Amino acid sequence: MDPMNRGPEEFNHADDTVGVAGAHAEPGAGPQRPPRDREPGTPEFGPRAAGLARTVQLVSGDFLLTVNPVDGSEIENCPPGAIPGRAVRRSAAERAEGERAARPPLPPGLMTPTPALLERQEERGRLVRLLGRGRSVRLTGPAGSGRSALLDAVAADCAELAPDGVVRLSGHRRTPTELLHELYATVFHAPLHRLDKAALLERVHEIGAVVVLDDLEFGGATLEELLMATPECAYVLAATPDVPAPQSDSHVEEVFLSGLGRSASLELLERAVDRALTDEEANWAGDLWFESEGLPLRFVQAGALLRQRDHLRGEPNSLDPYGFPLDEPAEASVFSGEGREIPLPTLGEGAAPAALLASRLSEAARDTLRFAVALGGEVPHQAHLPALVGDTHADAALGELLDSGLLSPVGSRYRLAAGVLTQLESTGYAADAAERAHAAAQHYTWWTGHPSVTPERAATEADAVLASMSALVPGDQSEHAATAVKLARTAAPAFAAGLHWGAWERTLRVGSEAARLTGEVAEEAYFHHELGVLALCNGGLDRARAELEASIGLRGALADKRGTVAGRRALALVEDRSGGLPLPGGRTPAEAPAPRHEEPKTPSAAVSPVAAVTAQLPDPGATLITRRDTPVGAAMPKARRTLFGGARRNLVAAGAGALLAAVLGTVVTLGATSSNNDDGQGDHVKQQQSANEDDGSGGLNADPNNPDSSAKPGGHKGGGPASPSKPGASSKPGASGQPVPGTSGSPSTPSNPSTGPSKSSTPGKPTTSGKPSHSPTPSSSPSKPSTSPTPTSSGSITPPPPSSGGSSPPPSTKPPPPSTASKPPTSSAPASSKPPTTSTGPTKSAPADTRPA
C-alpha cells in the first residue's frame, strides 16, 4: 500500500468512527495498536541499497527530454512518431478521484467534527449566483477568517454547474504558468507530456470549469493573464488583503469576508467543546471575540484550549502519552467542567495560544512542531514523521496538531496555521532549527533517491523538500551546504520527471548556490546544464545559452567528456532554434551583411608568401558553417546562416596558425639555404627596410611570384629582398642597403629609367638578364652601370651604356601598368657552383665589407 495515501484500515480505523480503536472503550475491549516495528510487512525507514539510476523520457513541446540523473538531461527534437496525440478529457469519475487524491490526507488519531459554517450563508449564496452567471469572484479576507471552509461549501454547491466540473487548485507559491499546467493536467489525461506555451494556451482555452483557487499570491496584470487564457472558466479566488487587487477592467467581483459576530463565535466555541459554556468561560470568550475581531481560527484554537483544560481536570493517570483517555472517568467531571481547579487561559494566551497548546501535546507532536518551525512552516507528510521524530507512532501526532487548530490545509498538504510560526519561534521552538533542517534534508535525500519512490510522490512533497534545502543555504557549516547539494542532486530529476517544473527550477537554483559555496564544480556544472535545458524547454533561448555555456566551461575544466558532449548537443539545439549567435555590434545573423561567394583567386604577383597564406585562411568573422533549412539544390536563405563561435572558431584559428607557422618556417629555411655563398658575403648584409606597400605596384614587392622581386644569392640574411626607396627620394652613399662609391668590384650597367635601380649580384660577378620585367618598380637611387642589358617595361632589351660611369637618368614618375602574368620564383643555385645570377629587375650593389652592427 502506498504510504503516502494510506487508508483507514492501516491505522485500525475500519470499524471505528471516532478515532483510534479502543480510545473510549474498556481496556482490552477493542483491537489495540501494537508497536509498528513488530508489524509484519511494515516498510523500513532505515537506509536501503539504492538501485540503478532511473531515466524518464517525456515530451515537452516538440522536444524529447530524457531526464538523466547522472550526466544531466538530454534534449533533442522529438521524432514525428513520438509526439503524443491530442489528449482526451477525463471522465467525471476520474476527476473525482483526482480531486480526492489532491486533498490533504486524513491524519490518524482522535478527530473532532469539522467546524460548522456559521454566518456565511449570505456570502455563500452570492458566490454561487455569480459563478452560475459565469462571473469570476475574488474572496478577500484576513488569514484565519475561514476562507477555505467557505470555498469547500461553494465547491459542493457548484459541482454540476460547468461541463468540466469543479477544479480545485492551490496558488501557494505558484505562478500563472504553473496553474495553467495544473489546470490542463486536471481536465485532460496527458501523462509524461508537457505542452509548450502556444499549445497550452490553445487547450486551456477550451476548458469550461469552475476553478476554486485558494491562497492566491498575485494580482493585477498577472491575474489578468490567467483570466484571459481561460475565458470559459469561472474563478473563485481566495486571497488575503495584502495581495494586489485585480485590474479595474478585469470584471472580477469582490466579496469581503469579515469576522463572526459575538453569538456565532460563542456557538462555534460550544460546538468545539461539545457542551455548554459556563459563565466564566462565556465572559472569557466575549473578551476574546473583542480582541480577535471574531476570527473563526481563534475560536477553533480556544475550543482546543478548553478541551485540554477539561482533560487536565480529570485524573492524570487516565490519559495516555498522546493525551487520549484510557479509562472511563468515575465522574463526569471531565465533560461537565467540574473537578480539579485548572484556571482558564489568560486573554493573551487565548489570542496567541500556540505555545500553550503545544505544551499540552505529546512529545512526538512537539517534535513535529519543531521540524515545522525549522522548515519555515511546512509540515512533513505523516509517513515521514516516524523516521524524523524517531517514534514509530509519530504519524498520529499530525492528528493532534490538526485537532488543536495549529495546522491549516494548503493544497494537498498541511502548514502551520496563520500566526503559529511566529508564536512558536518566540517561545524557543527554533533553538535547534538548523540541525533539524539538516536531519530532514538527509532523510529527504535518501527518500527522493530511492527506487520505490515515484516522481509523482516526490512532487507532492516538493514544498517540504525545498524548505529543508533552502534552510541550509546559506549556512554557517559547510556540511549543511554539502547536504543541500546532495538533496538537490537527487530531488531535481524526480521533480522534472513528475512534471512539477516550478519545484524543479527552484531546486536547481538552490543547488547551484550551495555547490558554489562548497566549491563542488562538477555539481555546479550539472545544475547549470539542467537550468539551460529547462530554459530551452520554456523558450528562453538567451537564458539557455548562458547556462549551457557556463556548464560547458566548467565541465571542460574538469575534462568531463560525457557531460561536455551533452552540453554541446543542447547548445547546438539552442543555436538551431535561435538562428545563430549574435554578431559583434549587436547584429543578428539575419541583420549581418550576406557573405560574398567568390571564386578563390591566385594571389597577385605583388603579395608576399605570408600575405598569400593569410589570404587563404578563413576570416574569423565570416560564416564558417551554415545550417541547411532547405533540401539539397534549393535556394538557401541568407538570413538563416548560422555563425558558430566559441570552441569551433578557436579550432579554426588554431589550424590557421599552425599552417601559417609551417609556411613561415619553410620560407625562412629556403632563404637561409639560398644565402650560403662561397665567399660568405651574404651573411654580412643587414636588412633594415621592409617591403614597401606604397610604391604604387598594387601590393608588396617582396613576393617570390613576382619576377621583379626575385631573391638573390647575395641578399640579406633570411632570403627576403631589400626594398628600394620611394620614387623621388634621395639616397646617400653609405646608408644601410645603399651602394658606397668605390667599393664595388665590377662596373654596373645603368638602370632603365622606367625600372629604377636593380639589386646587385655577388660582388665581382657579372649579372645577365634572364627574363623580361613586367612590373618594374621606379626608384631614384643612383646605381653604377651594369654589364647586363636591362629589359624595359615593354619587354625589349636596352643595351648597356659604356662602363665609364655616370648617373642613371631620373626614374619615370608614371606608374607602370599592372602585371599581366605571374611566374614562379626562380630558385638560386648553391653559391659554390657560381652560376650566373639571373636578374629580372633593377639591381643594387651591396658593400663588400659591411658587418652587422
Side-chain angles (χ1 to χ4, degrees):
M1 180 176 295
D2 189 354
M4 295 288 291
N5 297 285
R6 298 174 179 174
E9 62 276 358
E10 185 173 354
F11 301 99
N12 296 329
H13 288 199
D15 301 323
D16 189 3
T17 59
V18 178
V20 177
H24 300 286
E26 295 292 335
Q32 298 297 322
R33 190 175 181 184
R36 188 181 298 273
D37 52 0
R38 297 181 184 178
E39 294 181 8
T42 302
E44 297 286 343
F45 289 100
R48 299 180 183 177
L52 298 177
R54 296 169 298 173
T55 60
V56 179
Q57 277 193 344
L58 53 92
V59 178
S60 174
D62 55 351
F63 293 117
L64 180 61
L65 179 63
T66 302
V67 181
N68 185 356
V70 180
D71 300 319
S73 299
E74 301 176 6
I75 185 171
E76 58 182 335
N77 289 321
C78 187
I83 298 178
R86 193 175 183 87
V88 297
R89 275 181 165 85
R90 298 180 185 271
S91 62
E94 291 176 341
R95 291 198 306 268
E97 179 65 22
E99 180 182 357
R100 187 197 68 82
R103 299 298 300 273
L106 182 66
L110 181 62
M111 296 295 298
T112 58
T114 303
L117 192 63
L118 303 177
E119 286 190 358
R120 301 301 188 195
Q121 296 302 322
E122 181 180 355
E123 292 85 354
R124 180 177 179 178
R126 184 182 177 187
L127 291 175
V128 173
R129 289 193 301 270
L130 290 173
L131 293 174
R133 294 199 295 264
R135 304 292 298 273
S136 295
V137 191
R138 171 174 150 135
L139 181 63
T140 305
S145 58
R147 292 177 286 112
S148 299
L150 181 58
L151 290 181
D152 292 340
V154 171
D157 296 339
C158 300
E160 306 295 334
L161 196 61
D164 292 320
V166 177
V167 178
R168 300 182 63 93
L169 300 176
S170 174
H172 180 64
R173 296 178 180 175
R174 297 293 191 274
T175 62
T177 303
E178 295 179 58
L179 291 175
L180 289 177
H181 279 288
E182 292 182 9
L183 175 62
Y184 172 79
T186 304
V187 177
F188 294 96
H189 180 70
L192 297 178
H193 186 202
R194 183 179 176 89
L195 298 177
D196 56 9
K197 188 173 183 180
L200 176 65
L201 294 178
E202 178 185 356
R203 296 310 308 272
V204 299
H205 195 276
E206 307 170 0
I207 297 178
V210 175
V211 182
V212 179
L213 181 55
D214 199 1
D215 298 305
L216 182 68
E217 295 183 352
F218 54 85
T222 308
L223 177 59
E224 187 67 19
E225 176 185 351
L226 176 64
L227 298 178
M228 293 296 294
T230 53
E232 302 298 328
C233 293
Y235 284 84
V236 52
L237 311 166
T240 54
D242 57 336
V243 176
Q247 292 182 343
S248 58
D249 56 346
S250 62
H251 305 290
V252 176
E253 298 287 340
E254 285 279 355
V255 174
F256 294 95
L257 199 63
S258 59
L260 300 176
R262 180 186 177 95
S263 58
S265 300
L266 295 179
E267 182 181 355
L268 180 62
L269 186 59
E270 287 181 349
R271 292 191 179 189
V273 297
D274 196 19
R275 61 177 177 83
L277 300 177
T278 63
D279 294 340
E280 183 183 10
E281 293 172 343
N283 295 333
W284 174 77
D287 296 339
L288 180 63
W289 171 84
F290 182 80
E291 193 276 337
S292 64
E293 299 181 354
L295 289 181
L297 178 62
R298 293 291 177 263
F299 287 91
V300 171
Q301 295 171 344
L305 288 175
L306 293 183
R307 287 197 304 271
Q308 289 180 348
R309 178 171 175 261
D310 290 343
H311 286 298
L312 291 175
R313 296 175 70 179
E315 293 296 331
N317 296 333
S318 63
L319 302 178
D320 64 2
Y322 300 98
F324 302 129
L326 296 177
D327 301 323
E328 282 290 335
E331 302 176 357
S333 59
V334 174
F335 303 100
S336 62
E338 301 176 358
R340 294 192 309 154
E341 275 302 321
I342 302 294
L344 280 172
T346 63
L347 185 60
E349 292 172 342
L356 181 58
L357 285 171
S359 65
R360 297 173 177 178
L361 298 178
S362 63
E363 185 62 29
R366 289 195 292 270
D367 285 342
T368 302
L369 288 177
R370 292 186 180 93
F371 275 103
V373 171
L375 301 183
E378 296 290 342
V379 180
H381 193 275
Q382 59 188 14
H384 300 284
L385 293 180
L388 293 175
V389 175
D391 188 351
T392 56
H393 296 293
D395 51 355
L398 196 65
E400 292 185 65
L401 298 175
L402 191 61
D403 184 47
S404 301
L406 298 178
L407 303 183
S408 295
V410 177
S412 60
R413 310 176 34 75
Y414 291 104
R415 281 181 54 87
L416 293 180
V420 174
L421 177 61
T422 304
Q423 298 172 26
L424 294 179
E425 287 178 342
S426 62
T427 55
Y429 276 78
D432 55 350
E435 295 300 327
R436 291 187 179 272
H438 184 232
Q442 288 179 322
H443 168 75
Y444 282 126
T445 300
W446 163 78
W447 182 74
T448 54
H450 199 276
S452 64
V453 180
T454 62
E456 291 76 16
R457 288 177 57 194
T460 59
E461 196 72 7
D463 291 338
V465 173
L466 280 169
S468 62
M469 189 189 317
S470 303
L472 304 179
V473 180
D476 298 335
Q477 301 182 19
S478 59
E479 180 185 359
H480 291 179
T483 303
V485 172
K486 295 178 182 178
L487 176 56
R489 194 69 167 77
T490 58
F495 295 157
L499 295 180
H500 194 347
W501 284 14
W504 184 25
E505 181 178 4
R506 289 190 289 269
T507 301
L508 293 175
R509 297 197 181 281
V510 175
S512 177
E513 178 65 17
R516 187 187 64 82
L517 294 175
T518 57
E520 300 182 45
V521 181
E523 304 300 338
E524 187 177 0
Y526 167 82
F527 294 129
H528 281 298
H529 175 85
E530 295 294 288
L531 286 171
V533 171
L534 175 61
L536 177 58
C537 293
N538 291 334
L541 299 181
D542 293 336
R543 168 62 65 181
R545 182 183 296 110
E547 296 289 353
L548 289 174
E549 287 178 350
S551 174
I552 292 172
L554 293 174
R555 284 177 165 174
L558 296 173
D560 183 2
K561 294 183 180 180
R562 297 181 60 180
T564 303
V565 168
R568 290 194 179 279
R569 288 177 179 174
L571 185 59
L573 198 56
V574 172
E575 302 305 332
D576 181 76
R577 292 301 175 98
S578 61
L581 287 171
L583 295 178
R587 297 181 301 175
T588 61
E591 302 170 353
R596 296 177 299 175
H597 302 279
E598 299 178 355
E599 294 295 333
K601 298 180 179 180
T602 304
S604 61
V607 181
S608 66
V610 177
V613 174
T614 308
Q616 298 178 4
L617 299 180
D619 185 7
T623 303
L624 302 180
I625 297 178
T626 57
R627 180 173 58 87
R628 188 178 298 279
D629 290 307
T630 57
V632 178
M636 182 179 297
K638 297 179 181 179
R640 298 293 296 173
R641 299 189 182 276
T642 308
L643 179 65
F644 280 75
R648 187 169 303 205
R649 183 181 299 173
N650 295 339
L651 180 61
V652 174
L659 179 59
L660 181 58
V663 173
L664 287 177
T666 304
V667 173
V668 172
T669 304
L670 290 176
T673 304
S674 63
S675 63
N676 293 332
N677 301 327
D678 55 347
D679 52 2
Q681 296 297 329
D683 294 338
H684 305 295
V685 179
K686 293 170 53 179
Q687 175 66 25
Q688 296 182 356
Q689 294 181 352
S690 61
N692 186 11
E693 295 179 307
D694 301 328
D695 56 356
S697 62
L700 301 177
N701 55 8
D703 187 6
N705 294 327
N706 190 352
D708 299 332
S709 58
S710 300
K712 307 301 184 298
H716 70 288
K717 186 177 181 179
S723 174
S725 61
K726 294 182 180 180
S730 61
S731 302
K732 296 181 181 180
S736 174
Q738 301 296 333
V740 180
T743 60
S744 176
S746 63
S748 62
T749 304
S751 61
N752 192 294
S754 64
T755 58
S758 62
K759 297 180 184 178
S760 174
S761 61
T762 305
K765 304 296 186 298
T767 60
T768 60
S769 176
K771 299 184 185 68
S773 174
H774 296 281
S775 58
T777 304
S779 175
S780 61
S781 301
S783 64
K784 293 186 179 182
S786 175
T787 60
S788 62
T790 305
T792 63
S793 62
S794 61
S796 61
I797 306 299
T798 304
S803 58
S804 59
S807 61
S808 62
S812 174
T813 60
K814 182 179 180 180
S819 174
T820 59
S822 60
K823 296 183 179 181
T826 58
S827 60
S828 301
S832 60
S833 61
K834 301 182 181 180
T837 306
T838 302
S839 175
T840 60
T843 60
K844 179 172 58 178
S845 299
D849 55 354
T850 304
R851 300 291 180 177

